[in-house]
Amino acid sequence: MQRIPKIRPQITSAYVGEATSSEETFQNETLRPVVKMQHDLLIAFFKQYLKEKKNQYFQLTAEKRVEYIKNTFSKDLAFRNMLKGLIVGQFTLEEYKEYAKNTSALNKRILSITQERILKNLSLN
């Protein structure tokens, strides 16, 4: 399973030093590369979510789209759980063991990173 991290994109701006917390290290070495690798899937997943909700998202103003996306991330538990599954499913066993040590904080980071990615890609389209 050690091949999985090798296929992930490298994020050169992701700094990890001696003073970096374990959560931030995990974010920079695992979460950010996984989210970047899963970019197209995450966007397709959110678009399918919009389609299933049969809402007027694409008729909203850019400001309202941002609000809609943020509300989805904060209030739709099923959406959040599916999204976390798309990311956690790409972990190695060792990464999962590290994730399991602090799922609450790392889930917040997963949701924050993916929300930002979706906001940048969909709110203005």
PDB file of all heavy atoms in Angstrom, residues 69-94:
ATOM      1  N   ILE A  69     -23.049  27.185  -0.463  1.00  0.00           N
ATOM      2  CA  ILE A  69     -21.991  26.193  -0.258  1.00  0.00           C
ATOM      3  C   ILE A  69     -21.633  26.097   1.221  1.00  0.00           C
ATOM      4  O   ILE A  69     -21.537  24.998   1.786  1.00  0.00           O
ATOM      5  CB  ILE A  69     -20.747  26.523  -1.115  1.00  0.00           C
ATOM      6  CG1 ILE A  69     -21.082  26.329  -2.605  1.00  0.00           C
ATOM      7  CG2 ILE A  69     -19.553  25.659  -0.709  1.00  0.00           C
ATOM      8  CD1 ILE A  69     -20.032  26.881  -3.553  1.00  0.00           C
ATOM      9  N   LYS A  70     -21.459  27.228   1.874  1.00  0.00           N
ATOM     10  CA  LYS A  70     -21.119  27.224   3.302  1.00  0.00           C
ATOM     11  C   LYS A  70     -22.227  26.575   4.127  1.00  0.00           C
ATOM     12  O   LYS A  70     -21.934  25.813   5.057  1.00  0.00           O
ATOM     13  CB  LYS A  70     -20.840  28.646   3.783  1.00  0.00           C
ATOM     14  CG  LYS A  70     -19.528  29.189   3.267  1.00  0.00           C
ATOM     15  CD  LYS A  70     -19.268  30.594   3.766  1.00  0.00           C
ATOM     16  CE  LYS A  70     -17.931  31.111   3.270  1.00  0.00           C
ATOM     17  NZ  LYS A  70     -17.646  32.464   3.767  1.00  0.00           N
ATOM     18  N   ASN A  71     -23.474  26.854   3.804  1.00  0.00           N
ATOM     19  CA  ASN A  71     -24.589  26.237   4.519  1.00  0.00           C
ATOM     20  C   ASN A  71     -24.608  24.731   4.314  1.00  0.00           C
ATOM     21  O   ASN A  71     -24.900  23.969   5.249  1.00  0.00           O
ATOM     22  CB  ASN A  71     -25.932  26.843   4.083  1.00  0.00           C
ATOM     23  CG  ASN A  71     -26.189  28.172   4.725  1.00  0.00           C
ATOM     24  OD1 ASN A  71     -25.664  28.477   5.791  1.00  0.00           O
ATOM     25  ND2 ASN A  71     -26.997  28.985   4.077  1.00  0.00           N
ATOM     26  N   THR A  72     -24.324  24.284   3.106  1.00  0.00           N
ATOM     27  CA  THR A  72     -24.279  22.846   2.828  1.00  0.00           C
ATOM     28  C   THR A  72     -23.232  22.176   3.698  1.00  0.00           C
ATOM     29  O   THR A  72     -23.488  21.139   4.310  1.00  0.00           O
ATOM     30  CB  THR A  72     -23.986  22.585   1.339  1.00  0.00           C
ATOM     31  OG1 THR A  72     -25.032  23.168   0.558  1.00  0.00           O
ATOM     32  CG2 THR A  72     -23.881  21.099   1.044  1.00  0.00           C
ATOM     33  N   PHE A  73     -22.055  22.775   3.782  1.00  0.00           N
ATOM     34  CA  PHE A  73     -20.973  22.197   4.574  1.00  0.00           C
ATOM     35  C   PHE A  73     -21.276  22.226   6.069  1.00  0.00           C
ATOM     36  O   PHE A  73     -20.837  21.347   6.804  1.00  0.00           O
ATOM     37  CB  PHE A  73     -19.650  22.907   4.282  1.00  0.00           C
ATOM     38  CG  PHE A  73     -18.892  22.319   3.142  1.00  0.00           C
ATOM     39  CD1 PHE A  73     -19.195  22.658   1.838  1.00  0.00           C
ATOM     40  CD2 PHE A  73     -17.871  21.419   3.363  1.00  0.00           C
ATOM     41  CE1 PHE A  73     -18.507  22.109   0.774  1.00  0.00           C
ATOM     42  CE2 PHE A  73     -17.172  20.858   2.313  1.00  0.00           C
ATOM     43  CZ  PHE A  73     -17.483  21.202   1.012  1.00  0.00           C
ATOM     44  N   SER A  74     -22.013  23.208   6.518  1.00  0.00           N
ATOM     45  CA  SER A  74     -22.267  23.303   7.954  1.00  0.00           C
ATOM     46  C   SER A  74     -23.500  22.520   8.408  1.00  0.00           C
ATOM     47  O   SER A  74     -23.559  22.094   9.558  1.00  0.00           O
ATOM     48  CB  SER A  74     -22.397  24.763   8.377  1.00  0.00           C
ATOM     49  OG  SER A  74     -23.550  25.348   7.838  1.00  0.00           O
ATOM     50  N   LYS A  75     -24.478  22.306   7.511  1.00  0.00           N
ATOM     51  CA  LYS A  75     -25.752  21.746   7.954  1.00  0.00           C
ATOM     52  C   LYS A  75     -26.109  20.365   7.418  1.00  0.00           C
ATOM     53  O   LYS A  75     -26.911  19.664   8.028  1.00  0.00           O
ATOM     54  CB  LYS A  75     -26.877  22.715   7.606  1.00  0.00           C
ATOM     55  CG  LYS A  75     -26.747  24.026   8.348  1.00  0.00           C
ATOM     56  CD  LYS A  75     -27.843  24.978   7.996  1.00  0.00           C
ATOM     57  CE  LYS A  75     -27.630  26.279   8.767  1.00  0.00           C
ATOM     58  NZ  LYS A  75     -28.617  27.279   8.414  1.00  0.00           N
ATOM     59  N   ASP A  76     -25.555  19.952   6.301  1.00  0.00           N
ATOM     60  CA  ASP A  76     -25.964  18.678   5.701  1.00  0.00           C
ATOM     61  C   ASP A  76     -25.022  17.556   6.146  1.00  0.00           C
ATOM     62  O   ASP A  76     -23.963  17.336   5.558  1.00  0.00           O
ATOM     63  CB  ASP A  76     -25.995  18.793   4.183  1.00  0.00           C
ATOM     64  CG  ASP A  76     -26.680  17.607   3.528  1.00  0.00           C
ATOM     65  OD1 ASP A  76     -26.592  16.482   4.066  1.00  0.00           O
ATOM     66  OD2 ASP A  76     -27.298  17.807   2.473  1.00  0.00           O
ATOM     67  N   LEU A  77     -25.437  16.842   7.176  1.00  0.00           N
ATOM     68  CA  LEU A  77     -24.603  15.797   7.767  1.00  0.00           C
ATOM     69  C   LEU A  77     -24.301  14.660   6.794  1.00  0.00           C
ATOM     70  O   LEU A  77     -23.169  14.176   6.728  1.00  0.00           O
ATOM     71  CB  LEU A  77     -25.271  15.252   9.033  1.00  0.00           C
ATOM     72  CG  LEU A  77     -24.464  14.258   9.855  1.00  0.00           C
ATOM     73  CD1 LEU A  77     -23.154  14.889  10.311  1.00  0.00           C
ATOM     74  CD2 LEU A  77     -25.272  13.794  11.049  1.00  0.00           C
ATOM     75  N   ALA A  78     -25.293  14.244   6.022  1.00  0.00           N
ATOM     76  CA  ALA A  78     -25.073  13.159   5.067  1.00  0.00           C
ATOM     77  C   ALA A  78     -24.045  13.575   4.017  1.00  0.00           C
ATOM     78  O   ALA A  78     -23.147  12.790   3.667  1.00  0.00           O
ATOM     79  CB  ALA A  78     -26.385  12.762   4.389  1.00  0.00           C
ATOM     80  N   PHE A  79     -24.142  14.791   3.528  1.00  0.00           N
ATOM     81  CA  PHE A  79     -23.164  15.311   2.562  1.00  0.00           C
ATOM     82  C   PHE A  79     -21.770  15.310   3.170  1.00  0.00           C
ATOM     83  O   PHE A  79     -20.811  14.858   2.552  1.00  0.00           O
ATOM     84  CB  PHE A  79     -23.567  16.731   2.134  1.00  0.00           C
ATOM     85  CG  PHE A  79     -22.519  17.433   1.328  1.00  0.00           C
ATOM     86  CD1 PHE A  79     -22.390  17.183  -0.032  1.00  0.00           C
ATOM     87  CD2 PHE A  79     -21.654  18.336   1.922  1.00  0.00           C
ATOM     88  CE1 PHE A  79     -21.414  17.821  -0.779  1.00  0.00           C
ATOM     89  CE2 PHE A  79     -20.676  18.982   1.178  1.00  0.00           C
ATOM     90  CZ  PHE A  79     -20.555  18.724  -0.177  1.00  0.00           C
ATOM     91  N   ARG A  80     -21.654  15.821   4.383  1.00  0.00           N
ATOM     92  CA  ARG A  80     -20.352  15.893   5.061  1.00  0.00           C
ATOM     93  C   ARG A  80     -19.740  14.509   5.229  1.00  0.00           C
ATOM     94  O   ARG A  80     -18.544  14.312   5.006  1.00  0.00           O
ATOM     95  CB  ARG A  80     -20.507  16.570   6.421  1.00  0.00           C
ATOM     96  CG  ARG A  80     -20.851  18.032   6.335  1.00  0.00           C
ATOM     97  CD  ARG A  80     -21.399  18.570   7.650  1.00  0.00           C
ATOM     98  NE  ARG A  80     -20.632  18.209   8.806  1.00  0.00           N
ATOM     99  CZ  ARG A  80     -19.959  19.060   9.571  1.00  0.00           C
ATOM    100  NH1 ARG A  80     -19.995  20.336   9.301  1.00  0.00           N
ATOM    101  NH2 ARG A  80     -19.279  18.642  10.610  1.00  0.00           N
ATOM    102  N   ASN A  81     -20.558  13.540   5.636  1.00  0.00           N
ATOM    103  CA  ASN A  81     -20.054  12.179   5.843  1.00  0.00           C
ATOM    104  C   ASN A  81     -19.587  11.544   4.536  1.00  0.00           C
ATOM    105  O   ASN A  81     -18.551  10.872   4.503  1.00  0.00           O
ATOM    106  CB  ASN A  81     -21.104  11.319   6.529  1.00  0.00           C
ATOM    107  CG  ASN A  81     -21.262  11.681   7.986  1.00  0.00           C
ATOM    108  OD1 ASN A  81     -20.371  12.254   8.609  1.00  0.00           O
ATOM    109  ND2 ASN A  81     -22.418  11.369   8.544  1.00  0.00           N
ATOM    110  N   MET A  82     -20.346  11.736   3.469  1.00  0.00           N
ATOM    111  CA  MET A  82     -19.930  11.206   2.164  1.00  0.00           C
ATOM    112  C   MET A  82     -18.611  11.848   1.727  1.00  0.00           C
ATOM    113  O   MET A  82     -17.713  11.171   1.224  1.00  0.00           O
ATOM    114  CB  MET A  82     -21.006  11.464   1.112  1.00  0.00           C
ATOM    115  CG  MET A  82     -22.258  10.647   1.298  1.00  0.00           C
ATOM    116  SD  MET A  82     -22.083   8.980   0.664  1.00  0.00           S
ATOM    117  CE  MET A  82     -21.863   9.286  -1.064  1.00  0.00           C
ATOM    118  N   LEU A  83     -18.506  13.136   1.916  1.00  0.00           N
ATOM    119  CA  LEU A  83     -17.299  13.863   1.535  1.00  0.00           C
ATOM    120  C   LEU A  83     -16.079  13.356   2.300  1.00  0.00           C
ATOM    121  O   LEU A  83     -15.026  13.104   1.716  1.00  0.00           O
ATOM    122  CB  LEU A  83     -17.514  15.356   1.794  1.00  0.00           C
ATOM    123  CG  LEU A  83     -16.498  16.305   1.239  1.00  0.00           C
ATOM    124  CD1 LEU A  83     -16.528  16.289  -0.278  1.00  0.00           C
ATOM    125  CD2 LEU A  83     -16.800  17.707   1.739  1.00  0.00           C
ATOM    126  N   LYS A  84     -16.241  13.170   3.602  1.00  0.00           N
ATOM    127  CA  LYS A  84     -15.138  12.635   4.408  1.00  0.00           C
ATOM    128  C   LYS A  84     -14.752  11.246   3.910  1.00  0.00           C
ATOM    129  O   LYS A  84     -13.566  10.913   3.843  1.00  0.00           O
ATOM    130  CB  LYS A  84     -15.513  12.601   5.885  1.00  0.00           C
ATOM    131  CG  LYS A  84     -15.579  13.974   6.521  1.00  0.00           C
ATOM    132  CD  LYS A  84     -15.881  13.915   7.997  1.00  0.00           C
ATOM    133  CE  LYS A  84     -17.332  13.672   8.243  1.00  0.00           C
ATOM    134  NZ  LYS A  84     -17.737  13.782   9.657  1.00  0.00           N
ATOM    135  N   GLY A  85     -15.738  10.444   3.532  1.00  0.00           N
ATOM    136  CA  GLY A  85     -15.463   9.109   3.014  1.00  0.00           C
ATOM    137  C   GLY A  85     -14.647   9.129   1.731  1.00  0.00           C
ATOM    138  O   GLY A  85     -13.792   8.268   1.522  1.00  0.00           O
ATOM    139  N   LEU A  86     -14.922  10.117   0.871  1.00  0.00           N
ATOM    140  CA  LEU A  86     -14.149  10.241  -0.372  1.00  0.00           C
ATOM    141  C   LEU A  86     -12.673  10.508  -0.085  1.00  0.00           C
ATOM    142  O   LEU A  86     -11.802  10.085  -0.848  1.00  0.00           O
ATOM    143  CB  LEU A  86     -14.698  11.378  -1.237  1.00  0.00           C
ATOM    144  CG  LEU A  86     -16.066  11.163  -1.860  1.00  0.00           C
ATOM    145  CD1 LEU A  86     -16.530  12.435  -2.554  1.00  0.00           C
ATOM    146  CD2 LEU A  86     -16.039  10.011  -2.838  1.00  0.00           C
ATOM    147  N   ILE A  87     -12.392  11.188   1.000  1.00  0.00           N
ATOM    148  CA  ILE A  87     -11.011  11.517   1.360  1.00  0.00           C
ATOM    149  C   ILE A  87     -10.378  10.380   2.160  1.00  0.00           C
ATOM    150  O   ILE A  87      -9.302   9.884   1.812  1.00  0.00           O
ATOM    151  CB  ILE A  87     -10.955  12.842   2.150  1.00  0.00           C
ATOM    152  CG1 ILE A  87     -11.586  13.989   1.348  1.00  0.00           C
ATOM    153  CG2 ILE A  87      -9.525  13.174   2.564  1.00  0.00           C
ATOM    154  CD1 ILE A  87     -11.020  14.210  -0.035  1.00  0.00           C
ATOM    155  N   VAL A  88     -11.041   9.945   3.210  1.00  0.00           N
ATOM    156  CA  VAL A  88     -10.487   8.901   4.085  1.00  0.00           C
ATOM    157  C   VAL A  88     -10.263   7.608   3.311  1.00  0.00           C
ATOM    158  O   VAL A  88      -9.302   6.881   3.576  1.00  0.00           O
ATOM    159  CB  VAL A  88     -11.396   8.678   5.317  1.00  0.00           C
ATOM    160  CG1 VAL A  88     -10.927   7.503   6.156  1.00  0.00           C
ATOM    161  CG2 VAL A  88     -11.444   9.944   6.170  1.00  0.00           C
ATOM    162  N   GLY A  89     -11.080   7.342   2.324  1.00  0.00           N
ATOM    163  CA  GLY A  89     -10.927   6.136   1.516  1.00  0.00           C
ATOM    164  C   GLY A  89      -9.641   6.089   0.710  1.00  0.00           C
ATOM    165  O   GLY A  89      -9.280   5.033   0.190  1.00  0.00           O
ATOM    166  N   GLN A  90      -8.945   7.193   0.646  1.00  0.00           N
ATOM    167  CA  GLN A  90      -7.668   7.245  -0.082  1.00  0.00           C
ATOM    168  C   GLN A  90      -6.453   7.114   0.838  1.00  0.00           C
ATOM    169  O   GLN A  90      -5.322   7.227   0.388  1.00  0.00           O
ATOM    170  CB  GLN A  90      -7.568   8.562  -0.866  1.00  0.00           C
ATOM    171  CG  GLN A  90      -8.601   8.698  -1.954  1.00  0.00           C
ATOM    172  CD  GLN A  90      -8.460   7.607  -2.991  1.00  0.00           C
ATOM    173  OE1 GLN A  90      -7.376   7.324  -3.478  1.00  0.00           O
ATOM    174  NE2 GLN A  90      -9.569   6.955  -3.308  1.00  0.00           N
ATOM    175  N   PHE A  91      -6.683   6.898   2.118  1.00  0.00           N
ATOM    176  CA  PHE A  91      -5.587   6.773   3.080  1.00  0.00           C
ATOM    177  C   PHE A  91      -4.971   5.381   3.023  1.00  0.00           C
ATOM    178  O   PHE A  91      -5.651   4.396   2.733  1.00  0.00           O
ATOM    179  CB  PHE A  91      -6.076   6.985   4.518  1.00  0.00           C
ATOM    180  CG  PHE A  91      -6.506   8.379   4.861  1.00  0.00           C
ATOM    181  CD1 PHE A  91      -7.094   8.626   6.090  1.00  0.00           C
ATOM    182  CD2 PHE A  91      -6.356   9.444   3.992  1.00  0.00           C
ATOM    183  CE1 PHE A  91      -7.508   9.887   6.444  1.00  0.00           C
ATOM    184  CE2 PHE A  91      -6.769  10.722   4.338  1.00  0.00           C
ATOM    185  CZ  PHE A  91      -7.344  10.940   5.568  1.00  0.00           C
ATOM    186  N   THR A  92      -3.709   5.320   3.356  1.00  0.00           N
ATOM    187  CA  THR A  92      -3.066   4.036   3.617  1.00  0.00           C
ATOM    188  C   THR A  92      -3.487   3.593   5.022  1.00  0.00           C
ATOM    189  O   THR A  92      -4.053   4.389   5.788  1.00  0.00           O
ATOM    190  CB  THR A  92      -1.532   4.140   3.573  1.00  0.00           C
ATOM    191  OG1 THR A  92      -1.110   5.013   4.634  1.00  0.00           O
ATOM    192  CG2 THR A  92      -1.031   4.656   2.236  1.00  0.00           C
ATOM    193  N   LEU A  93      -3.188   2.371   5.394  1.00  0.00           N
ATOM    194  CA  LEU A  93      -3.504   1.894   6.733  1.00  0.00           C
ATOM    195  C   LEU A  93      -2.796   2.741   7.788  1.00  0.00           C
ATOM    196  O   LEU A  93      -3.392   3.123   8.797  1.00  0.00           O
ATOM    197  CB  LEU A  93      -3.119   0.417   6.884  1.00  0.00           C
ATOM    198  CG  LEU A  93      -3.380  -0.208   8.258  1.00  0.00           C
ATOM    199  CD1 LEU A  93      -4.853  -0.081   8.644  1.00  0.00           C
ATOM    200  CD2 LEU A  93      -2.943  -1.660   8.263  1.00  0.00           C
ATOM    201  N   GLU A  94      -1.540   3.078   7.547  1.00  0.00           N
ATOM    202  CA  GLU A  94      -0.777   3.893   8.499  1.00  0.00           C
ATOM    203  C   GLU A  94      -1.394   5.289   8.637  1.00  0.00           C
ATOM    204  O   GLU A  94      -1.498   5.829   9.736  1.00  0.00           O
ATOM    205  CB  GLU A  94       0.693   4.006   8.064  1.00  0.00           C
ATOM    206  CG  GLU A  94       1.464   2.704   8.136  1.00  0.00           C
ATOM    207  CD  GLU A  94       1.168   1.771   6.960  1.00  0.00           C
ATOM    208  OE1 GLU A  94       0.694   2.236   5.901  1.00  0.00           O
ATOM    209  OE2 GLU A  94       1.383   0.558   7.113  1.00  0.00           O
TER     210      GLU A  94
END
